[in-house]
Amino acid sequence: MRKTGRPTMVDVAAEAGVSFKTVSRVINGQPNVDPAMAERVLAAVDRLGYHRNALAASLRSGDRDTVGFIAADLSNTFYMSVAAAVSSVASRERMHLVMASSEEDAATERTLALDLCQRQVGGLIVVPTADDHSYLQREVELGTPVVFLDRPGSGIPADAILLDNRGGARAAVAELLEAGHQRIAVFLDARSIFTMAERWAGVEEAFAAAGRAADPALVVDGLHTPAVARDAMLRLLDSDAPPTAVFCANNRVTIGVLEAILPRGADIALAGFDDFELSHLLPRRIRIVDYDVSGLGRLAAETLLARRNAPATGSHTHLVPTHLVDRGGVR
């Protein structure tokens, strides 16, 4: 009785009455296989319905038809959208995509990156968490291109695909100031993260241009989840002098703030960086710093592929523009 489950090359070898090595040579298109043997193997493949695991084969053989993508946090829809765009470009080039998450941990990023290089991937797209990427210098010298996404890397010649974080945040807060708001809260994730540092710098520039400074009592950072942002917003709502406007430095913070103000019907202007699903269905208007997420991923993937033929000789930054859009207002 034939076993159930997906057939393997071992099953094909048994069905064809040949060695595993012969099956491997036929499946992988290697030359100098006896035509009669090859015909027996292919006939067994048809009978069993065997399908070659191309991804596993590429990782074993190192034929460099795989792109590695190391995100900072795959639970964030931003990175999943970027990954989908990278995958689309990779598929067009008949390449595969392998994704992993560093979980904002530099040691994990290093382990993942070196493991993928050991498997001889065709290139790496990395959302940097580490401060120094010279650990990849030898891999770059051996011909593995690296592109940094969302944050710049350091220590190796590589391209960096970045958003105009500073300009987007500056424009959003400038609008709130021009509207006459005196008490503007600023909600951020950890300011040690490059994108947060840049967005905070944009906030400060907007206040400085208006001859003012952000109120330290209304600046809250370290907001890594919607729940933490919601609780922080509730505390401000219950304070003696709640804010009249809030700028949220990423979409998860925006969602948390909405969870606090919508049930209370609080009359607070809201602007946030990054769009998010169903934002257009909100019962009130908010302003969003938007950009082409798919375009960001495509640019990263296409830059990586270009570098396979023309390696980077220095650090090159490609800035993706942002713009303000209205979301919500559904009644």
PDB file of all heavy atoms in Angstrom, residues 45-60:
ATOM      1  N   VAL A  45       7.466  10.305 -11.764  1.00  0.00           N
ATOM      2  CA  VAL A  45       7.028  11.629 -11.295  1.00  0.00           C
ATOM      3  C   VAL A  45       5.571  11.862 -11.660  1.00  0.00           C
ATOM      4  O   VAL A  45       4.757  12.310 -10.848  1.00  0.00           O
ATOM      5  CB  VAL A  45       7.926  12.733 -11.886  1.00  0.00           C
ATOM      6  CG1 VAL A  45       7.280  14.114 -11.710  1.00  0.00           C
ATOM      7  CG2 VAL A  45       9.304  12.719 -11.231  1.00  0.00           C
ATOM      8  N   ASP A  46       5.209  11.531 -12.910  1.00  0.00           N
ATOM      9  CA  ASP A  46       3.828  11.710 -13.370  1.00  0.00           C
ATOM     10  C   ASP A  46       2.863  10.818 -12.605  1.00  0.00           C
ATOM     11  O   ASP A  46       1.772  11.242 -12.209  1.00  0.00           O
ATOM     12  CB  ASP A  46       3.727  11.423 -14.870  1.00  0.00           C
ATOM     13  CG  ASP A  46       4.376  12.507 -15.719  1.00  0.00           C
ATOM     14  OD1 ASP A  46       4.540  13.629 -15.198  1.00  0.00           O
ATOM     15  OD2 ASP A  46       4.721  12.233 -16.880  1.00  0.00           O
ATOM     16  N   ARG A  47       3.246   9.562 -12.402  1.00  0.00           N
ATOM     17  CA  ARG A  47       2.349   8.634 -11.715  1.00  0.00           C
ATOM     18  C   ARG A  47       2.098   9.044 -10.267  1.00  0.00           C
ATOM     19  O   ARG A  47       0.975   8.941  -9.768  1.00  0.00           O
ATOM     20  CB  ARG A  47       2.933   7.219 -11.756  1.00  0.00           C
ATOM     21  CG  ARG A  47       2.881   6.544 -13.122  1.00  0.00           C
ATOM     22  CD  ARG A  47       3.126   5.039 -13.020  1.00  0.00           C
ATOM     23  NE  ARG A  47       4.445   4.722 -12.472  1.00  0.00           N
ATOM     24  CZ  ARG A  47       5.545   4.609 -13.198  1.00  0.00           C
ATOM     25  NH1 ARG A  47       5.498   4.816 -14.525  1.00  0.00           N
ATOM     26  NH2 ARG A  47       6.696   4.281 -12.643  1.00  0.00           N
ATOM     27  N   LEU A  48       3.151   9.522  -9.609  1.00  0.00           N
ATOM     28  CA  LEU A  48       3.024   9.868  -8.185  1.00  0.00           C
ATOM     29  C   LEU A  48       2.503  11.281  -7.958  1.00  0.00           C
ATOM     30  O   LEU A  48       2.056  11.620  -6.863  1.00  0.00           O
ATOM     31  CB  LEU A  48       4.381   9.726  -7.491  1.00  0.00           C
ATOM     32  CG  LEU A  48       4.966   8.310  -7.404  1.00  0.00           C
ATOM     33  CD1 LEU A  48       6.322   8.356  -6.724  1.00  0.00           C
ATOM     34  CD2 LEU A  48       4.030   7.382  -6.647  1.00  0.00           C
ATOM     35  N   GLY A  49       2.580  12.119  -9.000  1.00  0.00           N
ATOM     36  CA  GLY A  49       2.186  13.523  -8.817  1.00  0.00           C
ATOM     37  C   GLY A  49       3.195  14.286  -7.982  1.00  0.00           C
ATOM     38  O   GLY A  49       2.847  15.190  -7.213  1.00  0.00           O
ATOM     39  N   TYR A  50       4.478  13.944  -8.131  1.00  0.00           N
ATOM     40  CA  TYR A  50       5.532  14.610  -7.361  1.00  0.00           C
ATOM     41  C   TYR A  50       5.738  16.035  -7.872  1.00  0.00           C
ATOM     42  O   TYR A  50       5.742  16.297  -9.064  1.00  0.00           O
ATOM     43  CB  TYR A  50       6.839  13.822  -7.493  1.00  0.00           C
ATOM     44  CG  TYR A  50       8.034  14.564  -6.923  1.00  0.00           C
ATOM     45  CD1 TYR A  50       8.276  14.589  -5.559  1.00  0.00           C
ATOM     46  CD2 TYR A  50       8.916  15.251  -7.758  1.00  0.00           C
ATOM     47  CE1 TYR A  50       9.360  15.264  -5.038  1.00  0.00           C
ATOM     48  CE2 TYR A  50      10.006  15.939  -7.250  1.00  0.00           C
ATOM     49  CZ  TYR A  50      10.224  15.942  -5.883  1.00  0.00           C
ATOM     50  OH  TYR A  50      11.289  16.634  -5.365  1.00  0.00           O
ATOM     51  N   HIS A  51       5.914  16.979  -6.911  1.00  0.00           N
ATOM     52  CA  HIS A  51       6.228  18.371  -7.258  1.00  0.00           C
ATOM     53  C   HIS A  51       7.508  18.764  -6.545  1.00  0.00           C
ATOM     54  O   HIS A  51       7.631  18.606  -5.328  1.00  0.00           O
ATOM     55  CB  HIS A  51       5.101  19.319  -6.839  1.00  0.00           C
ATOM     56  CG  HIS A  51       3.823  19.072  -7.571  1.00  0.00           C
ATOM     57  ND1 HIS A  51       3.634  19.411  -8.888  1.00  0.00           N
ATOM     58  CD2 HIS A  51       2.672  18.477  -7.165  1.00  0.00           C
ATOM     59  CE1 HIS A  51       2.417  19.058  -9.278  1.00  0.00           C
ATOM     60  NE2 HIS A  51       1.815  18.487  -8.242  1.00  0.00           N
ATOM     61  N   ARG A  52       8.427  19.273  -7.322  1.00  0.00           N
ATOM     62  CA  ARG A  52       9.712  19.686  -6.748  1.00  0.00           C
ATOM     63  C   ARG A  52       9.518  20.875  -5.818  1.00  0.00           C
ATOM     64  O   ARG A  52       8.834  21.847  -6.150  1.00  0.00           O
ATOM     65  CB  ARG A  52      10.671  20.077  -7.875  1.00  0.00           C
ATOM     66  CG  ARG A  52      12.041  20.606  -7.426  1.00  0.00           C
ATOM     67  CD  ARG A  52      12.901  20.838  -8.661  1.00  0.00           C
ATOM     68  NE  ARG A  52      14.225  21.309  -8.331  1.00  0.00           N
ATOM     69  CZ  ARG A  52      14.585  22.583  -8.352  1.00  0.00           C
ATOM     70  NH1 ARG A  52      13.693  23.510  -8.656  1.00  0.00           N
ATOM     71  NH2 ARG A  52      15.832  22.936  -8.068  1.00  0.00           N
ATOM     72  N   ASN A  53      10.106  20.826  -4.637  1.00  0.00           N
ATOM     73  CA  ASN A  53      10.097  21.950  -3.704  1.00  0.00           C
ATOM     74  C   ASN A  53      11.198  22.915  -4.119  1.00  0.00           C
ATOM     75  O   ASN A  53      12.346  22.804  -3.697  1.00  0.00           O
ATOM     76  CB  ASN A  53      10.331  21.452  -2.267  1.00  0.00           C
ATOM     77  CG  ASN A  53      10.158  22.566  -1.245  1.00  0.00           C
ATOM     78  OD1 ASN A  53      10.298  23.737  -1.580  1.00  0.00           O
ATOM     79  ND2 ASN A  53       9.846  22.190  -0.026  1.00  0.00           N
ATOM     80  N   ALA A  54      10.824  23.845  -4.978  1.00  0.00           N
ATOM     81  CA  ALA A  54      11.841  24.738  -5.560  1.00  0.00           C
ATOM     82  C   ALA A  54      12.503  25.617  -4.511  1.00  0.00           C
ATOM     83  O   ALA A  54      13.692  25.911  -4.590  1.00  0.00           O
ATOM     84  CB  ALA A  54      11.195  25.611  -6.643  1.00  0.00           C
ATOM     85  N   LEU A  55      11.721  26.051  -3.504  1.00  0.00           N
ATOM     86  CA  LEU A  55      12.302  26.911  -2.488  1.00  0.00           C
ATOM     87  C   LEU A  55      13.349  26.159  -1.672  1.00  0.00           C
ATOM     88  O   LEU A  55      14.461  26.632  -1.466  1.00  0.00           O
ATOM     89  CB  LEU A  55      11.203  27.439  -1.563  1.00  0.00           C
ATOM     90  CG  LEU A  55      11.676  28.293  -0.377  1.00  0.00           C
ATOM     91  CD1 LEU A  55      12.481  29.472  -0.881  1.00  0.00           C
ATOM     92  CD2 LEU A  55      10.490  28.737   0.454  1.00  0.00           C
ATOM     93  N   ALA A  56      12.985  24.953  -1.231  1.00  0.00           N
ATOM     94  CA  ALA A  56      13.952  24.172  -0.455  1.00  0.00           C
ATOM     95  C   ALA A  56      15.186  23.873  -1.288  1.00  0.00           C
ATOM     96  O   ALA A  56      16.318  23.921  -0.800  1.00  0.00           O
ATOM     97  CB  ALA A  56      13.297  22.877   0.025  1.00  0.00           C
ATOM     98  N   ALA A  57      14.968  23.568  -2.578  1.00  0.00           N
ATOM     99  CA  ALA A  57      16.101  23.257  -3.453  1.00  0.00           C
ATOM    100  C   ALA A  57      17.023  24.449  -3.592  1.00  0.00           C
ATOM    101  O   ALA A  57      18.244  24.317  -3.581  1.00  0.00           O
ATOM    102  CB  ALA A  57      15.589  22.819  -4.823  1.00  0.00           C
ATOM    103  N   SER A  58      16.447  25.632  -3.720  1.00  0.00           N
ATOM    104  CA  SER A  58      17.291  26.813  -3.896  1.00  0.00           C
ATOM    105  C   SER A  58      18.095  27.092  -2.641  1.00  0.00           C
ATOM    106  O   SER A  58      19.248  27.507  -2.702  1.00  0.00           O
ATOM    107  CB  SER A  58      16.422  28.034  -4.258  1.00  0.00           C
ATOM    108  OG  SER A  58      15.645  28.446  -3.158  1.00  0.00           O
ATOM    109  N   LEU A  59      17.485  26.883  -1.461  1.00  0.00           N
ATOM    110  CA  LEU A  59      18.197  27.138  -0.226  1.00  0.00           C
ATOM    111  C   LEU A  59      19.308  26.110  -0.009  1.00  0.00           C
ATOM    112  O   LEU A  59      20.330  26.396   0.594  1.00  0.00           O
ATOM    113  CB  LEU A  59      17.221  27.122   0.958  1.00  0.00           C
ATOM    114  CG  LEU A  59      16.233  28.292   0.996  1.00  0.00           C
ATOM    115  CD1 LEU A  59      15.292  28.140   2.177  1.00  0.00           C
ATOM    116  CD2 LEU A  59      16.952  29.633   1.067  1.00  0.00           C
ATOM    117  N   ARG A  60      19.110  24.866  -0.512  1.00  0.00           N
ATOM    118  CA  ARG A  60      20.142  23.847  -0.378  1.00  0.00           C
ATOM    119  C   ARG A  60      21.277  24.065  -1.378  1.00  0.00           C
ATOM    120  O   ARG A  60      22.448  23.993  -1.060  1.00  0.00           O
ATOM    121  CB  ARG A  60      19.542  22.448  -0.584  1.00  0.00           C
ATOM    122  CG  ARG A  60      18.723  21.938   0.583  1.00  0.00           C
ATOM    123  CD  ARG A  60      18.481  20.451   0.419  1.00  0.00           C
ATOM    124  NE  ARG A  60      17.765  20.141  -0.817  1.00  0.00           N
ATOM    125  CZ  ARG A  60      16.449  20.075  -0.917  1.00  0.00           C
ATOM    126  NH1 ARG A  60      15.697  20.337   0.136  1.00  0.00           N
ATOM    127  NH2 ARG A  60      15.866  19.762  -2.065  1.00  0.00           N
TER     128      ARG A  60
END
